[in-house]
Every structure is written in C-alpha cells, then in structure tokens.
Amino acid sequence: MEYTDKKSDTKYIETNTVQIPDGKFPVVSLFSGAGGLDIGLEGAGFRTTVCVEFDTDCRETLRHNRPEWLLFETSAKVVSGKITTRIPGDIRDIEVKELLDLANLKKGEASLVVGGAPCQPFSNIGKKLGKEDEKNGDLFLEFVRMVKGVDPKAFIFENVAGITQQKHSEVIDYMVDNFKGLGYGISHTILNAANYGVPQRRERFFLIGIKGVEKPSFPIPTHFKDKNHYQKFMESIGRKPENKFEKWVSVKDAFDKIPKDHVLRNDYALMNISEKVINRMKYINQGENFKVVPQDLLPNCWKNGKHQGNDTFGRLVEGLPSVTIRTAAYNPSKGMYIHPNQNRGLSTTEMATLQSFPYDWEFKVKSRDKVTLVSGGKQIGNAVPPGLAEALGKSILTQLQPTKSKSVEKLDQRFALNSPQTHHQQQLEVS
C-alpha cells in the first residue's frame, strides 16, 4: 500500500508484509565505509557482491566481517598497453568493466548500485564548499558514472541533509537530470533514522531511482516520538491512525542490551578524561550542556560568549534517541556526548550501538589488534545506520519485482559456479 504526504509530496510504502528473499539480488557498493548501508540491505534480502572503499581501515573491517564481499583493491592498471599503479579503492581510477568483472556481473544484472560520496563538502559542520571542494566535492560524479556503466535496476545515493541547501541545488539537479535520462524514476527526501527504530535522531538525504517506477516510494515510518507525532504523520498521508504504535528507541533501551563484557572487545575504546573535565561534568544534568557549569571551571574559549553551540559538552537524555553520532562522538567537547549517567564520554561500542550496528560487527584497524579512537570513531560516525538502510532496502525491494525471472535464475547458477573466494584469489594474483 502506497501513501503520499500532502505537504512534502513524498511517497511512502508499507513494507511490513514483505517476504525477505534468499539474497540473490546483487548489489554493487560504492563508498562502502564500514558497511552500515550494506548490512542493512543484507537484512532486507540483497547481496553485496563487490565493494569500493578508499579508507584502509574500513576495508579491514569489511574483510574481517564479510569476506564474501569482494573488495576492489587492485593496485595495477593497464593503460595504453602499459602497467601503471593506482591507489587501491580510489573510485576515480576504477573502470566500470573492472568492477563488473570482479563481481561476476554483466551490465544490467545488478539489482542495486548504492553509496554515499564523502559528505564533508555538504555538511552543515565545516566549510560547506559542496562541489567546489577540491578533495571530494566531485565524487558524486563518480557515482553517476558507475550507475551509467553498471545499469542496475535501482540505486540509492546517500548524503548529509545539508546537500539540500540552495547553494548545492545544482548537484541534485545534475544527478536527477542524468538519471532520468537513463530511464529511472527519481525521488529524494530526508529520512530520520529514529523513525525506523534506530536509537538516534539522525537525518540523512536519500536519492533513489528505480527503473519502471515513475516516482519511487520511501519506507513508511515504523517508530514515533509520541502519540501526537504518530497521529500527525498518519493524517499527513491520509491514513486513519490506529490505537497502537511503536515508540522511538531510546538511549537507555539501546545501552541496556550491550553485554557487560563489551569492554574486553578489541574494538572497544574510550577517551581518557582528566579530573578537571570530570568535575565540569558533575554540574550537567541530562539535556544540559557546558552553559550550566560555573564560569571559573570553564576554559576561556567557552567564557567569552563566542561559542554558542547548543549541544557542546552536553549530556545525553536517556529517555530519547541520541543526537547525531558524528565521527568524534567519543569526545564530550564535540557535542552532546556525555554518558547519560556516568561522568565520561561514549565508548566506540556505545557509538556503534546508537548507530544500530549489530553487536557481532567488529571494527578493525590495519596492522593493529586494537582499534584506535580516531579510526573507530570515523568508521562508526560516517556510516549509514543499518536499521535505516534495512527499512529503505525493503521499500525498494517491494517496488522491484520480487519474483525470479529466467535471467535471475541464470545469475544464481553463475554465483554457484564462481565463488567469491575464487574471485578474491584472482584479484590477489593481479595486485
């Protein structure tokens, strides 16, 4: 059943009755990061065949947790008959055919191409240079290039909500125009992860395209702040509210499920806090920040009134989903990241939990047994919450024809004859 929001004109679709298939819907994953988007799609019934990721530590995390997800790490490339070298995982230097060959796919066989180009150029935190960012501002063009070459049945492009600002409008317009020219029906909106059972109020931009669907739908929210929030949404889509609904998952709900021995994990890390900083925390109740701390205990940069952040050095509210978990959420001075009941910051395990990563997902660092705060924070904070990704995946699967065609059956046979391990070995021999 599909519904349309009268105010935003966004279409929503129910997915609670979707039958999860057997994972034979192949995905080409770009800008894979630590795997959040791919984990969620896996839960929806998709199968990640190949990943492109620039960050070395993220690739170690993917390799450790899902060795069957092939990583494009080939450093050798033949140009005009000569062998040259390239940076492993640099999408700018990867040809579509190379990626399809590794995934054992032909053009048009992939169900999905997914990914979120690095979001810093469009974030509300930072310089907001957008496509003018010399380092990463043009990577959305690589996503468009890959979709053109892979020719999937559908795609998901993800980024920060800041990309919708007027100054970045030509980026969205460019992608929409190009994808429509390829025959995709296009929709884009901002989704709040808390509305899909993630214990975090995180808003992200999603642009989706599906062939044969004029205006694709997004997943109808499953969780709400309260009864009023639920009723207003139902009224906006013209649906009669029912008597029961799921409430947002809170920080306390999430933390209560973390095993007590999580501190023994190799990917557990916690920021060391000085006694001076701990003393400041003692004055802060849930939902409050540094502004309630006595002036004589504050650093000078917080005394002059120039720092106006409303969540800086704030304490989480345990009865609500957390604020957005960013890459430095382990550091209380970077946001509302003081533990709700203890005078400390958040551990990497708690950050991952608030991002809805499954507990058995382990974050790795190249050539180290223990994860570092910086690498762990970066991998977790940059990820798409798997819970949100799963909801989105189910909505797309609902709009794709879930019945197997003869071409899909042939594809299944090829997967059986050509195992991921075989392709991984071939890749190692070339690199």
Side-chain angles (χ1 to χ4, degrees):
M1 192 77 173
E2 291 183 314
Y3 305 88
T4 301
D5 189 312
K6 300 172 185 176
K7 296 181 180 179
S8 66
D9 200 36
T10 301
K11 290 183 66 178
Y12 294 93
I13 191 168
E14 288 182 329
T15 62
N16 56 334
T17 58
V18 172
Q19 291 287 334
I20 297 178
D22 55 5
K24 299 299 185 183
F25 290 79
V27 177
V28 173
S29 174
L30 312 176
F31 313 105
S32 305
L37 183 54
D38 298 286
I39 298 170
L41 293 174
E42 182 181 69
F46 290 93
R47 171 180 177 167
T48 298
T49 58
V50 65
C51 298
V52 176
E53 173 51 43
F54 185 84
D55 185 84
T56 304
D57 291 346
C58 284
R59 294 203 304 271
E60 286 300 306
T61 293
L62 296 172
R63 193 189 336 272
H64 174 78
N65 291 279
R66 292 291 187 275
E68 67 273 21
W69 294 357
L70 302 178
L71 295 166
F72 194 98
E73 297 179 289
T74 307
S75 59
K77 183 179 181 180
V78 178
V79 179
S80 300
K82 295 182 179 180
I83 297 178
T84 62
T85 59
R86 57 184 161 185
I87 301 173
D90 186 350
I91 194 171
R92 295 185 180 97
D93 213 9
I94 299 174
E95 302 300 325
V96 174
K97 187 178 184 306
E98 293 181 288
L99 202 57
L100 287 173
D101 287 347
L102 179 59
N104 192 36
L105 293 171
K106 295 178 181 178
K107 184 176 180 178
E109 287 185 336
S111 295
L112 274 177
V113 168
V114 304
C119 63
Q120 288 80 6
F122 308 104
S123 175
N124 288 322
I125 300 172
K127 298 180 180 179
K128 309 176 189 177
L129 297 176
K131 69 182 183 65
E132 304 302 327
D133 185 283
E134 293 182 0
K135 184 177 180 182
N136 292 321
D138 64 345
L139 286 176
F140 70 93
L141 298 174
E142 298 301 325
F143 184 87
V144 175
R145 177 174 71 90
M146 286 294 177
V147 170
K148 285 183 176 180
V150 175
D151 191 28
K153 297 174 181 63
F155 67 82
I156 302 171
F157 177 82
E158 175 269 345
N159 216 287
V160 293
I163 198 174
T164 60
Q165 294 174 354
Q166 184 61 36
K167 67 176 73 175
H168 307 313
S169 62
E170 60 184 290
V171 172
I172 297 176
D173 291 343
Y174 175 87
M175 288 192 291
V176 169
D177 289 344
N178 274 266
F179 291 138
K180 281 187 175 180
L182 296 173
Y184 292 96
I186 305 296
S187 293
H188 56 81
T189 194
I190 294 173
L191 299 179
N192 187 338
N195 294 339
Y196 299 92
V198 176
Q200 179 187 174
R201 303 189 304 278
R202 184 189 191 96
E203 292 188 332
R204 300 294 286 192
F205 169 84
F206 289 94
L207 187 151
I208 59 176
I210 305 177
K211 286 190 174 182
V213 178
E214 184 177 353
K215 187 175 182 181
S217 298
F218 290 92
I220 193 167
T222 56
H223 293 68
F224 299 87
K225 180 180 180 180
D226 50 32
K227 186 176 182 179
N228 185 52
H229 179 205
Y230 169 71
Q231 290 180 336
K232 282 188 174 181
F233 178 80
M234 289 294 137
E235 290 170 2
S236 73
I237 63 173
R239 179 177 167 183
K240 185 178 180 180
E242 299 175 0
N243 293 326
K244 59 181 180 179
F245 63 93
E246 294 284 342
K247 292 194 67 174
W248 276 350
V249 180
S250 70
V251 172
K252 185 178 187 304
D253 294 333
F255 283 3
D256 283 349
K257 294 180 180 179
I258 300 177
K260 293 182 179 180
D261 62 353
H262 73 97
V263 297
L264 302 177
R265 293 172 60 110
N266 281 334
D267 60 353
Y268 169 86
L270 182 68
M271 187 175 184
N272 290 323
I273 304 292
S274 69
E275 284 298 323
K276 181 187 295 187
V277 174
I278 290 175
N279 286 335
R280 293 174 189 152
M281 292 180 179
K282 293 177 181 178
Y283 290 90
I284 301 173
N285 296 316
Q286 292 184 19
E288 296 179 340
N289 64 11
F290 76 98
K291 294 179 182 180
V292 303
V293 178
Q295 285 281 307
D296 60 327
L297 296 180
L298 292 175
N300 291 331
C301 61
W302 291 355
K303 291 179 181 179
N304 56 24
K306 293 182 179 180
H307 189 95
Q308 300 298 323
N310 290 323
D311 65 350
T312 298
F313 206 67
R315 191 181 293 277
L316 282 172
V317 178
E318 66 178 352
L320 291 173
S322 78
V323 296
T324 298
I325 296 299
R326 300 194 289 266
T327 57
Y330 52 81
N331 185 345
S333 68
K334 298 296 184 180
M336 189 171 283
Y337 299 136
I338 301 176
H339 189 281
N341 301 307
Q342 300 176 32
N343 293 321
R344 61 173 178 81
L346 299 177
S347 70
T348 49
T349 309
E350 290 164 340
M351 288 173 61
T353 298
L354 294 175
Q355 276 279 59
S356 74
F357 273 95
Y359 186 71
D360 61 359
W361 192 264
E362 186 176 355
F363 299 90
K364 306 295 288 185
V365 175
K366 180 73 172 180
S367 303
R368 293 177 64 102
D369 292 330
K370 298 277 290 183
V371 77
T372 63
L373 265 178
V374 172
S375 179
K378 183 179 178 182
Q379 292 185 57
I380 297 166
N382 282 333
V384 177
L388 174 57
E390 181 171 345
L392 185 57
K394 287 180 178 178
S395 71
I396 290 178
L397 198 60
T398 304
Q399 296 167 86
L400 294 173
Q401 291 188 359
T403 56
K404 284 189 178 182
S405 64
K406 290 183 178 180
S407 61
V408 173
E409 289 176 352
K410 289 180 180 179
L411 187 60
D412 291 349
Q413 293 173 4
R414 285 174 50 202
F415 275 129
L417 293 173
N418 298 275
S419 69
Q421 289 78 10
T422 300
H423 288 285
H424 183 55
Q425 183 61 39
Q426 291 173 350
Q427 182 189 19
L428 291 175
E429 291 172 356
V430 174
S431 61

